Amino acid sequence: MSMIIVDVVGVPISQGSLVGNPRYGGLRYSNDALLKEWRGRVINELAEATPEDWDADKPLNVVAEFRFVRPKGHYGKKGLKDSAPKDKTTKPDLDKITRGIGDCIEQSGVARNDSQIVYWIVSKKYTKENQPPGVKITIQATR
C-alpha cells in the first residue's frame, strides 16, 4: 500500500467560521491571514512528499496528530505543575483543524476530493519538551 508521512511544524490553525463582509459582500474565514499561511505550509509539505506514482483516485485513511505548546501557566519553579491538565481540551476545536487538513489533502493533489477520506484518526495534545508545535499526517491509500 502507498503511504505519505509529513510532519508540518507550526501552530495548527483551525478552519474557523465563515463570516460575511457587509461592505464588500462575499464570505471569508474569520482567521483568514493565519489560515492561508498554515494551509500553504501543509499543502507544500504534502505535495513534496507525494510519490510520482501516487494514485489520487483511491480511498484514503488519514491519521493527524496535532501538537500544541503548553501555556507558561502550566509550569512552576520545579517544572510542570501537578495541576496542569494532561490533555489539551481548549481551542482550537478538533473538528475545525481536521477539516482544514482535509482541504489541504485535496488542494495538494493527494486526492481529487477530500470526500475520498474514508477513515480518520485525529488527536490533539501538548508537545513534549523541546518539541515544536505542528501536525504529523499519515495518509495511506487503500486497495
Side-chain angles (χ1 to χ4, degrees):
M1 282 189 232
S2 300
M3 189 177 293
I4 297 171
I5 300 173
V6 296
D7 194 340
V8 184
V9 174
V11 177
I13 304 296
S14 71
Q15 191 75 17
S17 302
L18 284 173
V19 293
N21 185 334
R23 186 170 180 189
Y24 300 107
L27 294 173
R28 66 175 181 79
Y29 286 104
S30 57
N31 55 353
D32 222 13
L34 293 173
L35 180 61
K36 281 183 182 179
E37 180 184 334
W38 169 247
R39 284 177 58 161
R41 192 175 303 152
V42 174
I43 290 166
N44 288 339
E45 293 274 344
L46 287 170
E48 288 178 17
T50 303
E52 286 186 28
D53 63 345
W54 183 262
D55 185 351
D57 292 320
K58 288 192 172 188
L60 302 174
N61 294 339
V62 180
V63 177
E65 300 167 334
F66 296 95
R67 301 181 308 271
F68 296 88
V69 175
R70 283 184 176 275
K72 290 180 182 177
H74 286 195
Y75 296 95
K77 292 180 182 178
K78 298 179 182 179
L80 190 63
K81 293 179 180 177
D82 290 339
S83 61
K86 178 181 178 255
D87 297 311
K88 177 159 177 54
T89 58
T90 57
K91 290 188 177 199
D93 295 352
L94 193 57
D95 61 326
K96 289 184 178 179
I97 54 178
T98 300
R99 190 174 55 187
I101 296 301
D103 290 346
C104 291
I105 288 171
E106 179 178 332
Q107 292 175 358
S108 66
V110 171
R112 281 180 298 95
N113 192 288
D114 61 352
S115 64
Q116 292 167 236
I117 301 169
V118 297
Y119 185 79
W120 275 105
I121 296 178
V122 293
S123 64
K124 64 179 183 174
K125 62 183 181 178
Y126 288 115
T127 59
K128 295 177 181 163
E129 200 167 325
N130 298 321
Q131 184 184 32
V135 63
K136 180 180 179 185
I137 304 168
T138 304
I139 303 171
Q140 186 173 20
T142 64
R143 289 192 262 137

